[in-house]
Amino acid sequence: MPSKSSSTPKASWGLKLASLGTLLFLHVPIFIIFLYTLTPDERTYTFPLPGITFKWFGVALQRADLWRALKLSLQVAAVATFAALVLGTLAAAAVYRSKFFGREAISFLLVLPIALPGIVTGIALRTAIGGLDIPFSYWTIVIGHATFCVVVVYNNVLARFRRMQGSQIEASMDLGANSFQTFRYVVFPNIATALLAGGMLAFALSFDEVIVTTFTAGQQTTLPIWIFSQLTRPRDRPVTNVVAMFVMLITFLPIVFAQKLSAASSDTEGEPK
Amino acid sequence: MLNRISTYFYQRPKLVLALFLLPPMLYMAVVYLGSLFSLLINSFYSIDDFTGLVIRELTLKTYGQVFSPANREIFMRTATMAAAVTVFDALLAFPLAYYIAKFASPRAKTWLIIAVTIPLWSSYLVRVYAWKLILAKEGILSWFINLLRLDGALEWLLSFPSIGGSSLALSPIGMFIVFSYIWLPYMIIPIQTALERVPGSLLEASSDLGARPLQTFRTVILPLAFPGVVAGSIFTFSLTLGDFIVPLSLGNSKFFIGQAVYSYQGTAGNIPLAAAMTMGPVVIMIVYLLVARRLGAFDAL
């Protein structure tokens, strides 16, 4: 199916169709959820929809348990992202500014929480937290999330550091700025968008994480845990549809924005989950 | 004052490096490596059969249970699923990756790459949920299959005990579709990266030397793209091995590794067995990574 020559690239119809098919397979399923938010049917997923109603949006808004779950998820994501921003930037700065023994090991250690299956990280944290008799709480969720969010910030910021010209920093110092001024006026403006992109991706990652959370949460219900309970035991199907659409939209915007930011400065993004 | 602090640190780069490294390394080493170590230790503990309490003495008893016939079946079932998903994803991913790498205009390429990356970051749970709607017995896929008058074929497929079930939403076939869907982007990106590095002149040389397009594809493109396929398979394989959300939502009573771990630590309260079971995917992945490295997959990442 390849074209005859790459200097006049022309894809065959077969290749175009297969590519289109894969793209549709990747994106159409999400829109099915959007469709189902309008179904009046409470007990089944009947298609074609027996009618159209907008009442479930109102019903979902009234649910106190959903608001609590959303609040908890936002709090966890905010604190985990903040921790990831600090730790990830420090690690990136250290790896960028000097060569030292074990530099490769640091990248490896940071990427491990997302390279190993989520269940390994989850159950490992559970045995450690349980073994130390620490009660499972809001903070144990945050600690778990921070472990896999650090690498996202680290990758974004490190990529930016590598493209930044070291001479800028030297020039700043030569002109009499001290380290703090150099950071404030030279380094920070350079890495600001990388921090923003990394931070948003870390936020999105934390906001809908469920596997590690299942093992590190006590009685707390984050929004993904709420959805997960509906997946195994569907009780509020129409409300779940609305929540699913909401989660999709709330994570979609920061992701697209972060992608555009990264693409604009041709950074490599962090390794995905 | 600030200047003096600045000078102090400037003259001691090693100190600055240590100060930078300390917080992230402390966090990762203590929290993450510590947890992994605790996982390892726990897998050597055992549980008292009468009281159900964990006995904190090192023993191989729990690993004996991991290799019981029932658990061996779980490992086989999960590995088979992971392999099937990997092969299917490679087939689905290749045309799109090839199109993006070799034919798309620069503008289209940016958007296609974003289109492939968005599902990676977007909610995994919601993407599983979407298939719960699609695969339901009364859902849109069944409706479509009935429209094509293929319902007989579907029932025939679901009647196989090893892959079938009461409906698509509760069967290994359904799980296979959902796994393939969820991990597909992880396969597309490395293949596209690998193909991106195949120089156009090589393809021209091949056709100049008289190779037909299909020959060029088989003898030039495919071998050069293979490390990308292996790199992608690391993700699809590893992620399928450790997942418990999909089997819990769409599976039946036939367990997968993740599901088994989840129920051992949860309802059964048997943390040592859960920990020892988790070592399964870890060992399989280490072996897999070693093989993948020999096949050159890490250069394609």
Side-chain angles (χ1 to χ4, degrees):
Chain A
M1 289 171 288
S3 74
K4 274 214 165 102
S5 154
S6 60
S7 55
T8 51
K10 261 230 140 77
S12 71
W13 279 106
L15 181 66
K16 278 185 184 162
L17 269 178
S19 307
L20 186 68
T22 304
L23 269 182
L24 289 178
F25 180 57
L26 266 181
H27 291 283
V28 168
I30 291 306
F31 293 98
I32 307 284
I33 299 182
F34 294 8
L35 192 66
Y36 270 93
T37 56
L38 304 177
T39 186
D41 185 358
E42 264 185 82
R43 295 186 198 296
T44 66
Y45 297 125
T46 307
F47 189 88
L49 306 185
I52 296 265
T53 173
F54 290 93
K55 71 170 175 181
W56 301 119
F57 294 97
V59 175
L61 280 175
Q62 302 294 321
R63 292 281 297 259
D65 58 335
L66 280 175
W67 284 108
R68 270 197 306 273
L70 175 65
K71 192 170 156 232
L72 179 64
S73 283
L74 289 174
Q75 280 172 341
V76 168
V79 180
T81 304
F82 177 73
L85 280 172
V86 174
L87 298 175
T89 309
L90 282 175
V95 166
Y96 168 70
R97 52 176 278 143
S98 17
K99 291 197 191 331
F100 53 90
F101 180 72
R103 215 164 69 132
E104 298 293 310
I106 287 176
S107 296
F108 182 75
L109 177 60
L110 290 177
V111 83
L112 212 52
I114 49 171
L116 285 176
I119 195 164
V120 177
T121 306
I123 197 116
L125 284 164
R126 183 166 195 95
T127 59
I129 295 166
L132 294 171
D133 282 324
I134 300 170
F136 291 94
S137 66
Y138 166 75
W139 286 106
T140 52
I141 306 179
V142 171
I143 287 171
H145 283 205
T147 54
F148 57 78
C149 285
V150 173
V151 67
V152 180
V153 176
Y154 169 80
N155 277 353
N156 269 280
V157 175
L158 185 60
R160 182 63 56 84
F161 270 139
R162 293 209 164 120
R163 295 190 318 107
M164 200 173 107
Q165 264 130 28
S167 55
Q168 283 183 14
I169 298 174
E170 283 162 28
S172 163
M173 297 288 216
D174 288 349
L175 291 169
N178 65 35
S179 316
F180 302 103
Q181 288 166 326
T182 304
F183 178 80
R184 167 76 182 76
Y185 295 107
V186 179
V187 179
F188 186 74
N190 261 300
I191 63 168
T193 52
L195 284 174
L196 194 60
M200 277 190 295
L201 289 174
F203 192 90
L205 206 57
S206 164
F207 185 74
D208 66 42
E209 210 288 334
V210 67
I211 296 194
V212 176
T213 318
T214 311
F215 293 106
T216 52
Q219 297 302 313
Q220 294 79 7
T221 306
T222 62
L223 204 53
I225 296 222
W226 188 90
I227 300 176
F228 179 47
S229 70
Q230 294 291 331
L231 259 171
T232 46
R233 273 182 295 277
R235 266 168 302 207
D236 307 288
R237 292 175 195 237
V239 176
T240 313
N241 295 335
V242 174
V243 173
M245 182 165 113
F246 170 75
V247 170
M248 215 59 214
L249 294 177
I250 209 180
T251 45
F252 181 79
L253 291 175
I255 296 162
V256 175
F257 192 52
Q259 291 288 338
K260 289 299 272 180
L261 271 182
S262 300
S265 54
S266 72
D267 271 346
T268 46
E269 302 89 29
E271 285 285 272
K273 324 183 187 185
Chain B
M1 182 63 194
L2 272 180
N3 277 325
R4 280 179 47 202
I5 301 175
S6 173
T7 317
Y8 179 83
F9 282 121
Y10 187 78
Q11 288 162 343
R12 291 166 185 78
K14 284 228 170 85
L15 177 68
V16 174
L17 181 66
L19 284 177
F20 276 10
L21 270 181
L22 196 67
M25 284 308 110
L26 202 63
Y27 188 82
M28 291 310 284
V30 171
V31 175
Y32 196 67
L33 292 183
S35 299
L36 285 182
F37 183 70
S38 129
L39 178 72
L40 189 67
I41 292 286
N42 266 276
S43 72
F44 287 103
Y45 289 162
S46 64
I47 200 156
D48 189 303
D49 292 333
F50 296 105
T51 60
L53 293 174
V54 175
I55 307 169
R56 296 191 172 188
E57 280 166 31
L58 300 185
T59 166
L60 283 173
K61 203 179 113 195
T62 309
Y63 276 98
Q65 290 167 4
V66 168
F67 292 104
S68 72
N71 281 335
R72 274 209 302 256
E73 208 176 295
I74 292 177
F75 277 115
M76 273 313 290
R77 186 179 297 130
T78 313
T80 311
M81 175 65 84
V85 168
T86 300
V87 171
F88 187 60
D89 269 347
L91 291 177
L92 278 182
F94 207 96
L96 182 58
Y98 188 42
Y99 182 82
I100 296 176
K102 287 285 164 243
F103 298 105
S105 65
R107 221 183 117 78
K109 188 180 263 184
T110 314
W111 281 108
L112 282 169
I113 290 176
I114 288 181
V116 172
T117 353
I118 283 172
L120 272 186
W121 295 100
S122 65
S123 177
Y124 148 87
L125 208 52
V126 172
R127 292 183 342 114
V128 175
Y129 181 70
W131 283 93
K132 193 97 175 157
L133 303 178
I134 296 169
L135 296 175
K137 212 178 188 120
E138 67 280 3
I140 188 165
L141 191 63
S142 297
W143 172 81
F144 189 67
I145 288 173
N146 283 335
L147 206 66
L148 299 175
R149 308 207 177 284
L150 288 171
D151 38 330
L154 178 66
E155 261 169 48
W156 177 75
L157 207 59
L158 285 173
S159 68
F160 287 97
S162 55
I163 57 165
S166 57
S167 76
L168 274 177
L170 287 171
S171 67
I173 306 178
M175 286 170 57
F176 169 73
I177 298 174
V178 178
F179 273 136
S180 305
Y181 165 75
I182 303 254
W183 312 139
L184 183 57
Y186 291 92
M187 187 60 100
I188 299 175
I189 292 165
I191 298 183
Q192 182 241 331
T193 314
L195 285 171
E196 208 73 63
R197 292 189 196 148
V198 179
S201 55
L202 214 62
L203 306 184
E204 277 170 36
S206 170
S207 80
D208 286 350
L209 291 168
R212 280 170 289 112
L214 216 58
Q215 261 178 319
T216 307
F217 182 75
R218 228 187 42 236
T219 54
V220 180
I221 296 172
L222 215 48
L224 288 172
F226 191 67
V229 177
V230 178
S233 78
I234 295 172
F235 292 107
T236 56
F237 202 82
S238 155
L239 291 166
T240 312
L241 275 188
D243 189 273
F244 65 88
I245 305 286
V246 173
L248 274 174
S249 334
L250 297 140
N252 45 31
S253 54
K254 288 177 182 141
F255 270 20
F256 282 70
I257 297 177
Q259 211 175 355
V261 170
Y262 180 77
S263 78
Y264 287 150
Q265 67 85 30
T267 44
N270 194 341
I271 294 265
L273 186 53
M277 271 305 261
T278 317
M279 288 298 149
V282 174
V283 171
I284 295 175
M285 279 326 292
I286 289 172
V287 173
Y288 201 104
L289 287 174
L290 290 175
V291 174
R293 196 167 68 179
R294 299 210 90 189
L295 293 171
F298 289 124
D299 306 328
L301 276 177

